Amino acid sequence: MAPKAPTAASSRTKNAQNRRASSDAGGAHRSSGGAPEFTLSAEREAELLQEAESLGDNTSLFPGKLARRVIWSSRIQLAAERDAADLVRTPFAEGEPPLTREEIRGLREKIELLRVAQSRWQAAQQRLERAAAAFEKPAAEAVQMKQSLLRFFDLRFKKSPEGQKRLMAIRAGSGDADLVQDVSDLLLLCSEHAEAVQKAPRGEAAAAERLRELSPLLARMLADKMLSLEAVRSRKLRDAAYTLVVNAERRLRAAAEYWYAGTDKMKDYAPFPVSRGAYGGGEEEGEDGGASEEAEPEDGESEAGDPGDDEPGDDGQSP
């Protein structure tokens, strides 16, 4: 018996299976956001961090939108790899080094460094937020003890200009650091007037004792909640990593402009659009000095769902 000819339905099924297999294979090389997956080696990361640190204060503030920014930069890098044969022959200005294939491939590494640096900054920021939240309860208790003792000393120093002056100094400040200092100043007054505090009938002795317990705790917690050197450095490195990406893109864009100005290929090298006034009023890097409109989310990407985007407290201002 002759073999049965394949039906249209079975052909469609087989084609669909082939497309799924091809899609799965392609998915192994791409993340869900559409940007190629890439792992930065520890050795290369150290080299790039050294390059980032060498920028000093010549860095751009990272405007947020990490997920979309990474996808956009990755597309520019892929376009440059596609066009590398042309781009490496670009006659740059005298004194500017020629573009190389290694430099084009290196943009992938700089994009990944930006991911890593952003993650480290966010981790440092979250530790600060936890410390700030932990500070609130003992600080509120210290404020109550402070008010109780100030009421006592107001009466005791009613006829003492010097004592009133000291109380005015305690009341003058505001904020967490001032509270820690106020507690220390009040404890000194309590030590100087220990007998009177012990005899006071409204729990002043207990308030003073509780402040003695809270004082070292508040001082330590205040240090934890302040912007630490680690957090300052992690944010500065994040901005420097972003600057490396931006600088690399500008070089690729300049080369593409030489070869493809006025063609559809230039769309692949467009600067990342940021709406006017966003993130402290700056634009991204519009070469004509104008700000482009905010890009719509692509590839099913939700702007509100971008991990690492618009993180609390990160308003694009350097600490």
Side-chain angles (χ1 to χ4, degrees):
M1 179 180 294
K4 294 175 66 176
T7 64
S10 63
S11 296
R12 286 195 298 271
T13 301
K14 186 174 182 179
N15 289 338
Q17 291 172 342
N18 289 336
R19 284 195 300 270
R20 282 197 298 271
S22 176
S23 176
D24 291 344
H29 301 286
R30 290 183 176 271
S31 66
S32 59
E37 290 182 353
F38 184 75
T39 301
L40 186 63
S41 70
E43 180 180 4
R44 184 58 180 145
E45 180 183 337
E47 293 174 355
L48 286 174
L49 284 174
Q50 186 174 4
E51 182 179 351
E53 289 175 331
S54 71
L55 294 174
D57 294 329
N58 299 317
T59 59
S60 303
L61 297 179
F62 178 58
K65 299 190 180 299
L66 177 72
R68 291 173 60 188
R69 193 63 178 79
V70 164
I71 292 171
W72 196 280
S73 299
S74 296
R75 288 171 178 167
I76 293 176
Q77 194 274 330
L78 289 173
E81 283 194 351
R82 177 196 67 201
D83 302 329
D86 288 337
L87 301 184
V88 296
R89 295 188 292 131
T90 303
F92 280 99
E94 186 176 354
E96 186 171 354
L99 192 63
T100 65
R101 291 179 183 272
E102 289 74 17
E103 183 178 348
I104 291 172
R105 289 192 294 268
L107 178 55
R108 294 182 68 192
E109 299 171 328
K110 292 172 181 177
I111 292 168
E112 186 59 24
L113 180 68
L114 175 58
R115 283 185 187 273
V116 171
Q118 173 72 348
S119 295
R120 289 173 180 165
W121 154 245
Q122 285 187 311
Q125 187 183 42
Q126 288 165 5
R127 286 193 290 272
L128 293 175
E129 290 170 352
R130 289 194 296 269
F135 184 84
E136 290 180 3
K137 185 175 180 180
E141 185 180 0
V143 168
Q144 290 182 342
M145 304 299 105
K146 171 184 169 180
Q147 296 305 321
S148 175
L149 290 169
L150 283 174
R151 184 175 58 242
F152 166 78
F153 283 112
D154 278 337
L155 185 60
R156 184 167 182 81
F157 294 150
K158 193 169 184 178
K159 296 182 179 181
S160 170
E162 183 62 30
Q164 292 175 19
K165 186 177 180 180
R166 293 176 69 177
L167 295 181
M168 286 176 62
I170 291 173
R171 286 190 166 100
S174 62
D176 297 335
D178 283 304
L179 175 61
V180 172
Q181 185 60 48
D182 293 344
V183 167
S184 178
D185 293 343
L186 270 172
L187 288 176
L188 178 59
L189 280 177
C190 289
S191 296
E192 293 172 357
H193 302 268
E195 185 176 351
V197 170
Q198 288 295 326
K199 293 179 179 179
R202 297 194 61 186
E204 285 83 351
E209 185 60 32
R210 181 56 179 153
L211 276 188
R212 287 190 185 91
E213 296 172 357
L214 289 173
S215 182
L217 175 65
L218 289 172
R220 185 179 72 249
M221 296 179 77
L222 177 66
D224 290 341
K225 75 184 289 289
M226 299 298 287
L227 197 59
S228 66
L229 291 177
E230 174 201 5
V232 171
R233 183 174 185 273
S234 65
R235 181 163 187 167
K236 186 173 182 179
L237 283 176
R238 189 277 311 274
D239 288 346
Y242 167 67
T243 304
L244 292 182
V245 171
V246 169
N247 290 346
E249 287 180 3
R250 284 175 175 159
R251 291 253 300 160
L252 297 181
R253 192 172 301 117
E257 184 72 28
Y258 173 78
W259 288 97
Y260 311 125
T263 71
D264 287 342
K265 273 192 173 183
M266 279 308 299
K267 295 178 181 178
D268 296 334
Y269 296 91
F272 183 75
V274 176
S275 56
R276 187 180 296 277
Y279 307 101
E283 290 91 30
E284 178 69 4
E285 63 227 47
E287 304 210 354
D288 58 358
S292 51
E293 293 299 321
E294 184 68 61
E296 293 296 325
E298 300 181 29
D299 300 332
E301 183 184 359
S302 168
E303 181 173 343
D306 287 348
D309 291 353
D310 308 326
E311 63 270 19
D314 190 5
D315 57 3
Q317 300 299 315
S318 290

